[in-house]
Amino acid sequence: MRRSILIFLLIPTLFFAQEKRPKIGLVLSGGGAKGLAHIGVLKEIDNAGLKIDYIGGTSMGAIIGGMYSAGYTGKQIEKILDSIHLEEILRDIVPRSAKPFFDKEFGENHAITLPIVNNKIGLPRAISRGQNVLDLFTYLLSSVDSIKDFKKLPIPFFCIATDAETGKMVVLEEGSLPLALRSSGSFPTLLNPVEMQGKLLIDGGIANNFPSDIMKSKGVDIIIGVDVQSDLKKREELNSLITILNQIVNYDIYEQSKRGALDSDIFIKPDIAAFSVVDFDKSKAIVAVGDKAGKTYRRQFDSLANLQGRKTYKAGLSVANIPFRVKEIKVFGAKNYTPAYVLGKLKILTGDEITPKELIKRITFLSATENYEKIIHKIVDDEIHLYVKEEKQKSTISLGAHYDLLYQSAILANYTRKSLLINNDELSLDLILGDRIRYNLNYFVDNGFYTSWGFKSRYNHFTANTPFNLDENPNINEINLSYTDFTNELFIQTTFSRKFAIGFGVEFKNLQIDTETISSQNTNKVTFDNSNYLNLSAYLKLDTYDKKAFPTRGFYADVGGKWYAWSTDYLNNFKSFPQISGRLGFATTFWDRLTFEYTNDAGFTFENPTSDVFDFYLGGYNQNYINTFVPMYGYEFAQLSGKSFLRSEFLLRYKIVRNNYFTFIANYARVEDNVFENTRIFKNALSGYAIGYSLNTELGPIEVKYSWSPENRGKYWLFNLGFWF
């Protein structure tokens, strides 16, 4: 402070004697979220009409300084900050609507995902790839995209990164400005390193968090330094492992700050001790601290502006978001994923009209596939140039856990392999270990705009006590059913906008259904079916739910038909027949807390087949039923059966606090041989109800429900833990 006051008093004497105006350099330190305080200081510099001649920064200081050097004012940067969800951008969170349809179906039942590196399970390089950050910078800095020499920006600029291999400082002064800012801010564990200039770069704060020494070499006369790095903690504050480790990391940074203070003619240190490097949710409060610090130096800024001869007020920068008609789309770097795949995800064709902002959204669709380390885009004379770097890591292991009353305890180990056999393919194998061993294998070749195809294989087994009436033995009203399903299907599919999927398939199915509760003359069990089936199928699916568990808005549909064409016919009573079934649903939320979900299930069997193996069976609460089993609250598993059915479910879910919900459910159904036989489709309707409490966790939902029905007087406690699979 004393040094800045002395400079303030000597400035008039020093520069009135000079003919040229002083050149002002601005240095902004790194500090994660604390670096948002730089915005407040920049606002005060703008208010004073002070022209900055050179800017240098590290990490968050580089990001804010880079935007300022491109032409944005401090107020504009603050407004941009207020308009974005910073945490979602930093963590590469994409809306569910951006995810591929394949991921919505098969990729949302895992609690943890780990990469496989050199045939060994490893750890992710960081929480985020940083693609959202790069996309944001690319859009905001599009007006200076053609400038590769940072000295030629509206305000000359440099930033600092660290060579991850050597730990040495790297000064970035040319190339892609968005990529340079992304490199300088690659905070370890949060954002992936960036390959640039032949080096693997990470956060510049490790090598030089306050680059005033670099600024001195730029020939400036006065250096204004803004340091947001916290001081070292006192002895009494070093009371945990985390604080001690942070102290060790901060030793060098603290020494850099001290040297930077000596190099700076005006040294500003906002009081950000109350904030941490990850307090991005407190951005307004941090900017306010910067405002306060900037106002403290208002007189110094005014004096420097007066010395420059004429005060300069920045006009600011606006990003042009004018639609353009796409002349051509060029993809560079594609190896395992064809250009058709890329364009299919972007949903852009030559001749389409699109805005730069909409293009960013489309690139999010591509990055949501998680097949790319980095995607850089440029708009050149109405051509879209995409520079993609595909993800080297092709395999992952994902884990999940679940418990319900039908399948009981289960541990899921998922193996996913991309680019396994041919371009655009993906293999997903679920091995489910526990009380009921199962597996699900899905292989899909996504051809983007063109027709895609795939193969599914499933083995499913469970045992359950189910209601059963036997005329020969009226004392038996329930049996222990053993049900085994082995299904393989080859299909073709077309998707639209990640929302719709239409497909056709050929299915081979083996069913083994028996019970030991009753026996025959020859064996100690009765077999209801042990047949192979060959079926043709068609389906239409829609999924716009914002979440798979506890959706708050969107629509859902899964409608399909099967023709059971051929069977080995174990019971000698099979004849071919068609069957249709489906589910329609939607969700909407009121007052941000109360969600209403409506779900309607229906099914109909034609030709009245003699076999009842593929009748519809309603009861229970599971969300992972296979074949023709359908949930129905208030009834035991498979208690209701018939060749057709209608079921409607009304759900009210109230969010008590974050991730905690109270639920009320009412469902009504008719189950008969032909529910459409007369116009009174609600005649003889059955009802069931449930109330419950749900908790959404990293493992998935934990739910406890109490269910009952006035018709059968059944009362049941229901429980499930984890994602359904």
Side-chain angles (χ1 to χ4, degrees), residues 646-669:
L646 287 172
R647 172 183 173 268
S648 293
E649 176 182 300
F650 304 88
L651 180 150
L652 287 173
R653 182 173 57 247
Y654 182 77
K655 183 171 68 174
I656 306 168
V657 293
R658 184 180 181 184
N659 294 329
N660 290 260
Y661 305 92
F662 173 79
T663 304
F664 171 76
I665 300 171
N667 58 183
Y668 306 91

PDB file of all heavy atoms in Angstrom, residues 646-669:
ATOM      1  N   LEU A 646     -55.389 -52.687 -19.931  1.00  0.00           N
ATOM      2  CA  LEU A 646     -55.193 -51.238 -19.902  1.00  0.00           C
ATOM      3  C   LEU A 646     -54.788 -50.868 -18.485  1.00  0.00           C
ATOM      4  O   LEU A 646     -55.370 -51.382 -17.517  1.00  0.00           O
ATOM      5  CB  LEU A 646     -56.471 -50.499 -20.281  1.00  0.00           C
ATOM      6  CG  LEU A 646     -56.923 -50.516 -21.734  1.00  0.00           C
ATOM      7  CD1 LEU A 646     -58.310 -49.879 -21.853  1.00  0.00           C
ATOM      8  CD2 LEU A 646     -55.935 -49.742 -22.594  1.00  0.00           C
ATOM      9  N   ARG A 647     -53.824 -49.999 -18.375  1.00  0.00           N
ATOM     10  CA  ARG A 647     -53.397 -49.564 -17.038  1.00  0.00           C
ATOM     11  C   ARG A 647     -52.995 -48.102 -17.093  1.00  0.00           C
ATOM     12  O   ARG A 647     -52.274 -47.673 -18.006  1.00  0.00           O
ATOM     13  CB  ARG A 647     -52.207 -50.384 -16.540  1.00  0.00           C
ATOM     14  CG  ARG A 647     -51.597 -49.869 -15.241  1.00  0.00           C
ATOM     15  CD  ARG A 647     -50.371 -50.671 -14.838  1.00  0.00           C
ATOM     16  NE  ARG A 647     -49.710 -50.072 -13.689  1.00  0.00           N
ATOM     17  CZ  ARG A 647     -48.725 -49.175 -13.756  1.00  0.00           C
ATOM     18  NH1 ARG A 647     -48.293 -48.776 -14.958  1.00  0.00           N
ATOM     19  NH2 ARG A 647     -48.169 -48.689 -12.671  1.00  0.00           N
ATOM     20  N   SER A 648     -53.470 -47.326 -16.121  1.00  0.00           N
ATOM     21  CA  SER A 648     -53.088 -45.921 -16.002  1.00  0.00           C
ATOM     22  C   SER A 648     -52.528 -45.672 -14.610  1.00  0.00           C
ATOM     23  O   SER A 648     -53.091 -46.156 -13.614  1.00  0.00           O
ATOM     24  CB  SER A 648     -54.298 -45.011 -16.241  1.00  0.00           C
ATOM     25  OG  SER A 648     -54.740 -45.102 -17.577  1.00  0.00           O
ATOM     26  N   GLU A 649     -51.429 -44.930 -14.564  1.00  0.00           N
ATOM     27  CA  GLU A 649     -50.798 -44.605 -13.283  1.00  0.00           C
ATOM     28  C   GLU A 649     -50.683 -43.093 -13.144  1.00  0.00           C
ATOM     29  O   GLU A 649     -50.209 -42.405 -14.054  1.00  0.00           O
ATOM     30  CB  GLU A 649     -49.413 -45.245 -13.191  1.00  0.00           C
ATOM     31  CG  GLU A 649     -48.647 -44.892 -11.930  1.00  0.00           C
ATOM     32  CD  GLU A 649     -47.265 -45.511 -11.891  1.00  0.00           C
ATOM     33  OE1 GLU A 649     -47.185 -46.766 -11.926  1.00  0.00           O
ATOM     34  OE2 GLU A 649     -46.263 -44.756 -11.856  1.00  0.00           O
ATOM     35  N   PHE A 650     -51.108 -42.584 -11.999  1.00  0.00           N
ATOM     36  CA  PHE A 650     -51.014 -41.161 -11.686  1.00  0.00           C
ATOM     37  C   PHE A 650     -50.073 -41.017 -10.493  1.00  0.00           C
ATOM     38  O   PHE A 650     -50.310 -41.616  -9.434  1.00  0.00           O
ATOM     39  CB  PHE A 650     -52.391 -40.593 -11.353  1.00  0.00           C
ATOM     40  CG  PHE A 650     -53.406 -40.795 -12.432  1.00  0.00           C
ATOM     41  CD1 PHE A 650     -54.165 -41.962 -12.482  1.00  0.00           C
ATOM     42  CD2 PHE A 650     -53.604 -39.831 -13.410  1.00  0.00           C
ATOM     43  CE1 PHE A 650     -55.102 -42.164 -13.483  1.00  0.00           C
ATOM     44  CE2 PHE A 650     -54.537 -40.023 -14.415  1.00  0.00           C
ATOM     45  CZ  PHE A 650     -55.282 -41.191 -14.453  1.00  0.00           C
ATOM     46  N   LEU A 651     -49.034 -40.236 -10.666  1.00  0.00           N
ATOM     47  CA  LEU A 651     -48.017 -40.093  -9.629  1.00  0.00           C
ATOM     48  C   LEU A 651     -47.831 -38.619  -9.281  1.00  0.00           C
ATOM     49  O   LEU A 651     -47.676 -37.778 -10.172  1.00  0.00           O
ATOM     50  CB  LEU A 651     -46.694 -40.708 -10.099  1.00  0.00           C
ATOM     51  CG  LEU A 651     -45.494 -40.649  -9.151  1.00  0.00           C
ATOM     52  CD1 LEU A 651     -44.578 -41.855  -9.382  1.00  0.00           C
ATOM     53  CD2 LEU A 651     -44.658 -39.374  -9.352  1.00  0.00           C
ATOM     54  N   LEU A 652     -47.843 -38.327  -7.996  1.00  0.00           N
ATOM     55  CA  LEU A 652     -47.497 -37.003  -7.488  1.00  0.00           C
ATOM     56  C   LEU A 652     -46.254 -37.144  -6.632  1.00  0.00           C
ATOM     57  O   LEU A 652     -46.219 -37.953  -5.693  1.00  0.00           O
ATOM     58  CB  LEU A 652     -48.647 -36.414  -6.664  1.00  0.00           C
ATOM     59  CG  LEU A 652     -49.883 -35.942  -7.437  1.00  0.00           C
ATOM     60  CD1 LEU A 652     -50.981 -35.551  -6.468  1.00  0.00           C
ATOM     61  CD2 LEU A 652     -49.531 -34.763  -8.352  1.00  0.00           C
ATOM     62  N   ARG A 653     -45.226 -36.369  -6.977  1.00  0.00           N
ATOM     63  CA  ARG A 653     -43.958 -36.445  -6.246  1.00  0.00           C
ATOM     64  C   ARG A 653     -43.583 -35.039  -5.772  1.00  0.00           C
ATOM     65  O   ARG A 653     -43.439 -34.124  -6.596  1.00  0.00           O
ATOM     66  CB  ARG A 653     -42.862 -37.031  -7.137  1.00  0.00           C
ATOM     67  CG  ARG A 653     -41.531 -37.185  -6.423  1.00  0.00           C
ATOM     68  CD  ARG A 653     -40.514 -37.926  -7.281  1.00  0.00           C
ATOM     69  NE  ARG A 653     -40.287 -37.289  -8.552  1.00  0.00           N
ATOM     70  CZ  ARG A 653     -40.631 -37.801  -9.725  1.00  0.00           C
ATOM     71  NH1 ARG A 653     -41.227 -38.978  -9.788  1.00  0.00           N
ATOM     72  NH2 ARG A 653     -40.391 -37.144 -10.854  1.00  0.00           N
ATOM     73  N   TYR A 654     -43.433 -34.888  -4.472  1.00  0.00           N
ATOM     74  CA  TYR A 654     -43.118 -33.581  -3.899  1.00  0.00           C
ATOM     75  C   TYR A 654     -41.678 -33.579  -3.392  1.00  0.00           C
ATOM     76  O   TYR A 654     -41.271 -34.467  -2.618  1.00  0.00           O
ATOM     77  CB  TYR A 654     -44.061 -33.250  -2.745  1.00  0.00           C
ATOM     78  CG  TYR A 654     -43.816 -31.890  -2.140  1.00  0.00           C
ATOM     79  CD1 TYR A 654     -44.256 -30.735  -2.788  1.00  0.00           C
ATOM     80  CD2 TYR A 654     -43.120 -31.752  -0.945  1.00  0.00           C
ATOM     81  CE1 TYR A 654     -44.021 -29.481  -2.253  1.00  0.00           C
ATOM     82  CE2 TYR A 654     -42.882 -30.504  -0.395  1.00  0.00           C
ATOM     83  CZ  TYR A 654     -43.335 -29.373  -1.052  1.00  0.00           C
ATOM     84  OH  TYR A 654     -43.093 -28.132  -0.525  1.00  0.00           O
ATOM     85  N   LYS A 655     -40.897 -32.609  -3.865  1.00  0.00           N
ATOM     86  CA  LYS A 655     -39.501 -32.492  -3.428  1.00  0.00           C
ATOM     87  C   LYS A 655     -39.469 -31.776  -2.078  1.00  0.00           C
ATOM     88  O   LYS A 655     -39.743 -30.586  -1.978  1.00  0.00           O
ATOM     89  CB  LYS A 655     -38.673 -31.726  -4.465  1.00  0.00           C
ATOM     90  CG  LYS A 655     -37.201 -31.624  -4.099  1.00  0.00           C
ATOM     91  CD  LYS A 655     -36.375 -31.051  -5.235  1.00  0.00           C
ATOM     92  CE  LYS A 655     -36.714 -29.598  -5.490  1.00  0.00           C
ATOM     93  NZ  LYS A 655     -35.825 -28.980  -6.488  1.00  0.00           N
ATOM     94  N   ILE A 656     -39.135 -32.519  -1.033  1.00  0.00           N
ATOM     95  CA  ILE A 656     -39.086 -31.948   0.313  1.00  0.00           C
ATOM     96  C   ILE A 656     -37.883 -31.021   0.427  1.00  0.00           C
ATOM     97  O   ILE A 656     -38.014 -29.836   0.748  1.00  0.00           O
ATOM     98  CB  ILE A 656     -39.018 -33.074   1.368  1.00  0.00           C
ATOM     99  CG1 ILE A 656     -40.170 -34.060   1.164  1.00  0.00           C
ATOM    100  CG2 ILE A 656     -39.055 -32.494   2.776  1.00  0.00           C
ATOM    101  CD1 ILE A 656     -40.025 -35.336   1.956  1.00  0.00           C
ATOM    102  N   VAL A 657     -36.719 -31.567   0.214  1.00  0.00           N
ATOM    103  CA  VAL A 657     -35.473 -30.817   0.065  1.00  0.00           C
ATOM    104  C   VAL A 657     -34.740 -31.472  -1.096  1.00  0.00           C
ATOM    105  O   VAL A 657     -35.230 -32.432  -1.692  1.00  0.00           O
ATOM    106  CB  VAL A 657     -34.609 -30.834   1.353  1.00  0.00           C
ATOM    107  CG1 VAL A 657     -35.293 -30.072   2.477  1.00  0.00           C
ATOM    108  CG2 VAL A 657     -34.311 -32.268   1.794  1.00  0.00           C
ATOM    109  N   ARG A 658     -33.582 -30.969  -1.410  1.00  0.00           N
ATOM    110  CA  ARG A 658     -32.860 -31.507  -2.563  1.00  0.00           C
ATOM    111  C   ARG A 658     -32.669 -33.018  -2.443  1.00  0.00           C
ATOM    112  O   ARG A 658     -32.197 -33.517  -1.424  1.00  0.00           O
ATOM    113  CB  ARG A 658     -31.499 -30.818  -2.678  1.00  0.00           C
ATOM    114  CG  ARG A 658     -30.705 -31.245  -3.896  1.00  0.00           C
ATOM    115  CD  ARG A 658     -29.377 -30.525  -3.962  1.00  0.00           C
ATOM    116  NE  ARG A 658     -28.633 -30.925  -5.143  1.00  0.00           N
ATOM    117  CZ  ARG A 658     -27.401 -30.504  -5.424  1.00  0.00           C
ATOM    118  NH1 ARG A 658     -26.793 -29.656  -4.622  1.00  0.00           N
ATOM    119  NH2 ARG A 658     -26.794 -30.931  -6.527  1.00  0.00           N
ATOM    120  N   ASN A 659     -33.080 -33.751  -3.504  1.00  0.00           N
ATOM    121  CA  ASN A 659     -32.910 -35.204  -3.623  1.00  0.00           C
ATOM    122  C   ASN A 659     -33.772 -36.006  -2.655  1.00  0.00           C
ATOM    123  O   ASN A 659     -33.606 -37.220  -2.539  1.00  0.00           O
ATOM    124  CB  ASN A 659     -31.438 -35.609  -3.448  1.00  0.00           C
ATOM    125  CG  ASN A 659     -30.566 -35.100  -4.565  1.00  0.00           C
ATOM    126  OD1 ASN A 659     -31.014 -34.962  -5.691  1.00  0.00           O
ATOM    127  ND2 ASN A 659     -29.312 -34.799  -4.253  1.00  0.00           N
ATOM    128  N   ASN A 660     -34.707 -35.364  -1.941  1.00  0.00           N
ATOM    129  CA  ASN A 660     -35.608 -36.064  -1.025  1.00  0.00           C
ATOM    130  C   ASN A 660     -37.043 -35.817  -1.476  1.00  0.00           C
ATOM    131  O   ASN A 660     -37.451 -34.660  -1.655  1.00  0.00           O
ATOM    132  CB  ASN A 660     -35.418 -35.574   0.410  1.00  0.00           C
ATOM    133  CG  ASN A 660     -34.090 -36.013   0.997  1.00  0.00           C
ATOM    134  OD1 ASN A 660     -34.009 -36.982   1.751  1.00  0.00           O
ATOM    135  ND2 ASN A 660     -33.027 -35.293   0.656  1.00  0.00           N
ATOM    136  N   TYR A 661     -37.823 -36.917  -1.610  1.00  0.00           N
ATOM    137  CA  TYR A 661     -39.143 -36.804  -2.208  1.00  0.00           C
ATOM    138  C   TYR A 661     -40.180 -37.604  -1.414  1.00  0.00           C
ATOM    139  O   TYR A 661     -39.877 -38.671  -0.862  1.00  0.00           O
ATOM    140  CB  TYR A 661     -39.134 -37.336  -3.647  1.00  0.00           C
ATOM    141  CG  TYR A 661     -38.103 -36.705  -4.542  1.00  0.00           C
ATOM    142  CD1 TYR A 661     -36.830 -37.262  -4.681  1.00  0.00           C
ATOM    143  CD2 TYR A 661     -38.388 -35.545  -5.263  1.00  0.00           C
ATOM    144  CE1 TYR A 661     -35.886 -36.687  -5.509  1.00  0.00           C
ATOM    145  CE2 TYR A 661     -37.449 -34.968  -6.090  1.00  0.00           C
ATOM    146  CZ  TYR A 661     -36.194 -35.545  -6.205  1.00  0.00           C
ATOM    147  OH  TYR A 661     -35.254 -34.967  -7.029  1.00  0.00           O
ATOM    148  N   PHE A 662     -41.378 -37.068  -1.394  1.00  0.00           N
ATOM    149  CA  PHE A 662     -42.545 -37.805  -0.910  1.00  0.00           C
ATOM    150  C   PHE A 662     -43.413 -38.120  -2.128  1.00  0.00           C
ATOM    151  O   PHE A 662     -43.651 -37.249  -2.978  1.00  0.00           O
ATOM    152  CB  PHE A 662     -43.334 -36.983   0.102  1.00  0.00           C
ATOM    153  CG  PHE A 662     -44.625 -37.633   0.502  1.00  0.00           C
ATOM    154  CD1 PHE A 662     -44.632 -38.667   1.430  1.00  0.00           C
ATOM    155  CD2 PHE A 662     -45.827 -37.238  -0.065  1.00  0.00           C
ATOM    156  CE1 PHE A 662     -45.824 -39.283   1.789  1.00  0.00           C
ATOM    157  CE2 PHE A 662     -47.021 -37.849   0.287  1.00  0.00           C
ATOM    158  CZ  PHE A 662     -47.017 -38.878   1.230  1.00  0.00           C
ATOM    159  N   THR A 663     -43.914 -39.362  -2.210  1.00  0.00           N
ATOM    160  CA  THR A 663     -44.616 -39.810  -3.415  1.00  0.00           C
ATOM    161  C   THR A 663     -45.972 -40.412  -3.070  1.00  0.00           C
ATOM    162  O   THR A 663     -46.108 -41.161  -2.091  1.00  0.00           O
ATOM    163  CB  THR A 663     -43.780 -40.871  -4.163  1.00  0.00           C
ATOM    164  OG1 THR A 663     -42.494 -40.342  -4.469  1.00  0.00           O
ATOM    165  CG2 THR A 663     -44.459 -41.280  -5.454  1.00  0.00           C
ATOM    166  N   PHE A 664     -46.958 -40.074  -3.881  1.00  0.00           N
ATOM    167  CA  PHE A 664     -48.265 -40.738  -3.829  1.00  0.00           C
ATOM    168  C   PHE A 664     -48.573 -41.262  -5.229  1.00  0.00           C
ATOM    169  O   PHE A 664     -48.419 -40.547  -6.225  1.00  0.00           O
ATOM    170  CB  PHE A 664     -49.374 -39.781  -3.388  1.00  0.00           C
ATOM    171  CG  PHE A 664     -50.746 -40.375  -3.533  1.00  0.00           C
ATOM    172  CD1 PHE A 664     -51.207 -41.323  -2.627  1.00  0.00           C
ATOM    173  CD2 PHE A 664     -51.569 -40.022  -4.596  1.00  0.00           C
ATOM    174  CE1 PHE A 664     -52.465 -41.895  -2.767  1.00  0.00           C
ATOM    175  CE2 PHE A 664     -52.834 -40.587  -4.748  1.00  0.00           C
ATOM    176  CZ  PHE A 664     -53.281 -41.522  -3.825  1.00  0.00           C
ATOM    177  N   ILE A 665     -49.023 -42.518  -5.302  1.00  0.00           N
ATOM    178  CA  ILE A 665     -49.295 -43.168  -6.588  1.00  0.00           C
ATOM    179  C   ILE A 665     -50.679 -43.799  -6.541  1.00  0.00           C
ATOM    180  O   ILE A 665     -51.046 -44.468  -5.564  1.00  0.00           O
ATOM    181  CB  ILE A 665     -48.250 -44.259  -6.905  1.00  0.00           C
ATOM    182  CG1 ILE A 665     -46.843 -43.656  -6.965  1.00  0.00           C
ATOM    183  CG2 ILE A 665     -48.583 -44.970  -8.219  1.00  0.00           C
ATOM    184  CD1 ILE A 665     -45.740 -44.692  -7.048  1.00  0.00           C
ATOM    185  N   ALA A 666     -51.428 -43.596  -7.616  1.00  0.00           N
ATOM    186  CA  ALA A 666     -52.696 -44.302  -7.820  1.00  0.00           C
ATOM    187  C   ALA A 666     -52.662 -44.928  -9.202  1.00  0.00           C
ATOM    188  O   ALA A 666     -52.339 -44.252 -10.180  1.00  0.00           O
ATOM    189  CB  ALA A 666     -53.879 -43.343  -7.695  1.00  0.00           C
ATOM    190  N   ASN A 667     -52.953 -46.250  -9.285  1.00  0.00           N
ATOM    191  CA  ASN A 667     -53.014 -46.885 -10.607  1.00  0.00           C
ATOM    192  C   ASN A 667     -54.283 -47.718 -10.731  1.00  0.00           C
ATOM    193  O   ASN A 667     -54.801 -48.276  -9.755  1.00  0.00           O
ATOM    194  CB  ASN A 667     -51.765 -47.689 -10.935  1.00  0.00           C
ATOM    195  CG  ASN A 667     -51.414 -48.800  -9.961  1.00  0.00           C
ATOM    196  OD1 ASN A 667     -50.415 -49.469 -10.104  1.00  0.00           O
ATOM    197  ND2 ASN A 667     -52.227 -49.017  -8.932  1.00  0.00           N
ATOM    198  N   TYR A 668     -54.786 -47.754 -11.969  1.00  0.00           N
ATOM    199  CA  TYR A 668     -56.051 -48.418 -12.265  1.00  0.00           C
ATOM    200  C   TYR A 668     -55.849 -49.280 -13.508  1.00  0.00           C
ATOM    201  O   TYR A 668     -55.136 -48.888 -14.439  1.00  0.00           O
ATOM    202  CB  TYR A 668     -57.159 -47.394 -12.508  1.00  0.00           C
ATOM    203  CG  TYR A 668     -57.295 -46.397 -11.377  1.00  0.00           C
ATOM    204  CD1 TYR A 668     -56.581 -45.199 -11.405  1.00  0.00           C
ATOM    205  CD2 TYR A 668     -58.108 -46.661 -10.280  1.00  0.00           C
ATOM    206  CE1 TYR A 668     -56.680 -44.288 -10.363  1.00  0.00           C
ATOM    207  CE2 TYR A 668     -58.225 -45.761  -9.233  1.00  0.00           C
ATOM    208  CZ  TYR A 668     -57.504 -44.568  -9.274  1.00  0.00           C
ATOM    209  OH  TYR A 668     -57.606 -43.679  -8.243  1.00  0.00           O
ATOM    210  N   ALA A 669     -56.500 -50.439 -13.531  1.00  0.00           N
ATOM    211  CA  ALA A 669     -56.269 -51.356 -14.659  1.00  0.00           C
ATOM    212  C   ALA A 669     -57.484 -52.237 -14.914  1.00  0.00           C
ATOM    213  O   ALA A 669     -58.293 -52.512 -14.006  1.00  0.00           O
ATOM    214  CB  ALA A 669     -55.044 -52.219 -14.389  1.00  0.00           C
TER     215      ALA A 669
END
